[in-house]
Amino acid sequence: MKDLKAVKGRYLIQRLIEQGEHEQQDFKFAISDARKIARSVSAFANNSGGCLLIGVKDNGAIAGVRNEEDVYVVEQAAQMCCEPAQPITFEAFKCDPGVIVIRATVPRAAERPVRVREADGRLRAYYRVADENIAAHPLMVRAWMLQADASPSDEPLMLDGFAQEILAAVRGADEPLDPSQLPIMIHRSAAATSALAARLLALGLISFTFHAPSHSFRLIPAE
């Protein structure tokens, strides 16, 4: 299977399954949609990396890889549906006679964002939150792009009054702040506030947290 030599690994795979699906691990049994898999690749690459256990059902049952096409679909997802294309390493583990599980490892991207070309042609970046792939907030994507474009010769951002207003609003909020409310709070234009907030995010002066019930990203002070 893809020139992979399977090694005994039921104990290893079982230990991984016992951890459940989480920020750095996803179970995949039926693989038929490269674009859907690309969202997982994007989410892992934009976060801290992770792995797909191919041949494991959502409930943790070891079913084994159905055929080698599953591996090719994952490769296609990473190489043809992700921009830029992402490297993936594959390892095969024998769990029972005739039952093989593939571990596909996605490293953290050297440069973010890693985006997926969706069916409508749009590019969308994803981020891993617990066991879900979440569409990244536009400010997060903008901050990643600033980080990717940064060079050692860039002049440091001067924390002028405008920047201080943003920092004060985020720090002074009673709860994590909805980014759409920030321009209203500081009485500045949405475009200018978003541009500067993205720079502050890129510099690590503010950060994002995720609210699961509303599936929304909120601004918080950097730790």
Side-chain angles (χ1 to χ4, degrees):
M1 181 178 294
K2 192 180 161 43
D3 300 324
L4 291 175
K5 183 177 181 180
V7 298
K8 291 182 179 180
R10 181 176 180 84
Y11 177 67
L12 171 62
I13 295 300
Q14 194 61 55
R15 286 181 59 192
L16 293 175
I17 290 172
E18 287 171 1
Q19 297 174 12
E21 293 182 300
H22 53 74
E23 189 174 279
Q24 294 180 300
Q25 181 168 276
D26 206 357
F27 300 159
K28 293 296 179 185
F29 169 56
I31 295 181
S32 57
D33 187 338
R35 187 169 285 110
K36 185 176 181 179
I37 295 299
R39 293 172 189 146
S40 291
V41 175
S42 168
F44 283 140
N46 286 327
N47 195 18
S48 55
C51 68
L52 303 169
L53 292 184
I54 307 170
V56 176
K57 294 184 177 181
D58 288 343
N59 63 3
I62 298 175
V65 177
R66 297 172 303 167
N67 56 66
E68 63 182 22
E69 286 302 313
D70 287 351
V71 177
Y72 293 127
V73 172
V74 175
E75 274 198 324
Q76 181 185 37
Q79 295 297 315
M80 300 180 67
C81 298
C82 288
E83 295 189 17
Q86 295 300 296
I88 294 187
T89 57
F90 295 91
E91 301 166 279
F93 299 94
K94 295 178 184 177
C95 295
D96 284 309
V99 178
I100 293 176
V101 169
I102 302 290
R103 179 168 64 179
T105 301
V106 181
R108 176 186 169 96
E111 290 188 1
R112 301 177 293 177
V114 175
R115 293 181 283 190
V116 177
R117 185 165 293 283
E118 301 286 5
D120 60 5
R122 296 181 181 180
L123 288 170
R124 182 174 289 118
Y126 289 85
Y127 193 73
R128 189 75 175 171
V129 179
D131 61 350
E132 295 186 82
N133 303 323
I134 306 295
H137 192 281
L139 273 184
M140 182 181 287
V141 175
R142 195 167 180 175
W144 290 338
M145 294 175 75
L146 287 171
Q147 290 172 337
D149 292 339
S151 69
S153 61
D154 288 345
E155 292 185 6
L157 173 66
M158 299 300 293
L159 297 181
D160 59 12
F162 193 176
Q164 294 293 352
E165 289 174 19
I166 292 177
L167 293 173
V170 173
R171 291 168 181 163
D174 293 332
E175 58 183 23
L177 187 61
D178 184 332
S180 67
Q181 296 301 308
L182 188 55
I184 299 171
M185 292 178 65
I186 63 175
H187 308 290
R188 299 274 191 165
S189 74
T193 302
S194 293
L196 186 51
R199 293 191 69 186
L200 295 173
L201 282 162
L203 291 170
L205 297 177
I206 56 177
S207 187
F208 267 116
T209 188
F210 183 75
H211 280 220
S214 60
H215 277 68
S216 62
F217 286 97
R218 302 290 181 89
L219 293 168
I220 58 173
E223 295 181 357

